Amino acid sequence: MGRRRSPDRAVAAEERFRLLRVQRFSSDTEKALWHGRSRNTRVAKVLVYMAAIRMPDRPGLPLTANPNVTCKGAEQQFFSASGENQAAHLLPGQILIDNTYPWLFLQGEPARLLQNEFAYVDPIHANYNAADRLAERNGMVDAFASACRAVLTGTGEPERDVSNAYHRAWVPGALAAIAAAENELRTEPLPPPLVYGTGPEDYGMILNLEERSQAMNDEEIWDSFEQLSMLDYYRAAFDETPREIEPRSVIAALNALVN
């Protein structure tokens, strides 16, 4: 795969400094939750852009009555990571509307901002990106495309259609993808579960600590274990709903895009 291009050099420089130069003092748990919540926020923002694309009399390419919405691998990113880190995209993939980039259905600043959404990345350990890819190939990209199409073809108030697409298409589809990814990982070698003593002399003690530690020293087993843990945190990220899909937020965002 060739080097992915950055659509906006100014934003790329800002993102590189914010995420690569500014040291984060957070645990892996917080990072995984942040990554999952950031993905949900970016999805919500794109759904608002879908509502803008379906608006009548907007500048840009015309939208067909029954658009075909697909999601493929990412093509652009603001920067790359180094060392053990990888630049993990926040969105599950690149949305296409009738095989056309979605920002071409808009013009000016809204088009630029929508294109940028698909380039945002998070510089995190490679296992986060591996967990992302597992979920994506197990249905997360399809959930993203389905949610976008639901907004584009919706006939209700845009704020209602955005909320419905998020809650009825994106959330259940993404959660199903995470569960399927976990099932796939569980077919790989994993550390044995902790065994605790139950007798009067060993009650509460870990009885297989040495066996578990030896398994953890195997790099492949550790990677699978860590990716499984990250998927669980990605699921937990859905406990928090992005404010971007609140009705007032959707209306305000649309007004800013079309006025």
Side-chain angles (χ1 to χ4, degrees):
M1 181 181 295
R3 185 179 179 86
R4 290 170 176 152
R5 63 189 184 278
S6 170
D8 193 317
R9 291 185 178 181
V11 177
E14 179 183 331
E15 285 292 291
R16 185 180 297 109
F17 176 79
R18 183 174 71 87
L19 294 172
L20 290 180
R21 299 296 179 86
V22 178
Q23 184 176 2
R24 283 184 180 163
F25 295 94
S26 59
S27 67
D28 287 344
T29 299
E30 291 170 334
K31 286 181 181 178
L33 285 171
W34 185 90
H35 187 64
R37 288 168 181 163
S38 296
R39 172 168 41 232
N40 291 339
T41 296
R42 294 292 172 187
V43 167
K45 288 183 176 181
V46 170
L47 294 181
V48 175
Y49 281 101
M50 297 298 110
I53 289 173
R54 82 180 199 191
M55 296 181 73
D57 302 325
R58 50 138 185 90
L61 294 177
L63 183 67
T64 60
N66 188 30
N68 178 40
V69 182
T70 56
C71 184
K72 65 175 184 176
E75 295 184 348
Q76 52 192 2
Q77 62 191 52
F78 280 129
F79 59 87
S80 299
S82 59
E84 292 186 343
N85 288 345
Q86 292 181 0
H89 282 82
L90 294 178
L91 287 174
Q94 176 63 63
I95 288 292
L96 296 176
I97 303 172
D98 290 330
N99 206 34
T100 302
Y101 293 119
W103 52 83
L104 297 180
F105 293 85
L106 300 170
Q107 287 185 359
E109 185 71 357
R112 183 186 72 83
L113 293 175
L114 176 54
Q115 183 178 6
N116 283 351
E117 288 296 332
F118 294 93
Y120 284 105
V121 291
D122 187 16
I124 48 182
H125 191 276
N127 276 335
Y128 289 87
N129 212 12
D132 286 353
R133 289 194 297 269
L134 277 169
E136 288 162 7
R137 74 169 181 241
N138 275 282
M140 188 172 277
V141 293
D142 296 328
F144 186 29
S146 295
C148 289
R149 188 180 187 282
V151 176
L152 289 172
T153 59
T155 57
E157 295 297 327
E159 61 270 25
R160 187 193 69 184
D161 287 346
V162 167
S163 179
N164 286 345
Y166 181 87
H167 288 293
R168 298 179 184 179
W170 167 246
V171 173
L175 289 176
I178 290 171
E182 289 174 326
N183 289 335
E184 181 178 335
L185 270 177
R186 290 192 178 100
T187 65
E188 302 293 332
L190 291 168
L194 292 172
V195 177
Y196 293 94
T198 58
E201 296 183 357
D202 59 7
Y203 183 81
M205 295 176 59
I206 300 175
L207 302 182
N208 64 335
L209 185 59
E210 183 176 352
E211 178 188 3
R212 186 175 169 88
S213 297
Q214 289 177 350
M216 291 288 199
N217 287 331
D218 184 292
E219 187 173 348
E220 291 186 5
I221 292 178
W222 169 254
D223 286 346
S224 295
F225 173 76
E226 190 170 46
Q227 291 163 27
L228 195 60
S229 299
M230 290 167 180
L231 288 168
D232 193 37
Y233 291 129
Y234 292 168
R235 178 189 293 104
F238 282 89
D239 292 342
E240 183 176 295
T241 301
R243 61 178 179 81
E244 283 77 7
I245 63 167
E246 295 175 358
R248 285 184 295 182
S249 296
V250 173
I251 293 171
L254 284 174
N255 287 336
L257 289 173
V258 300
N259 294 328

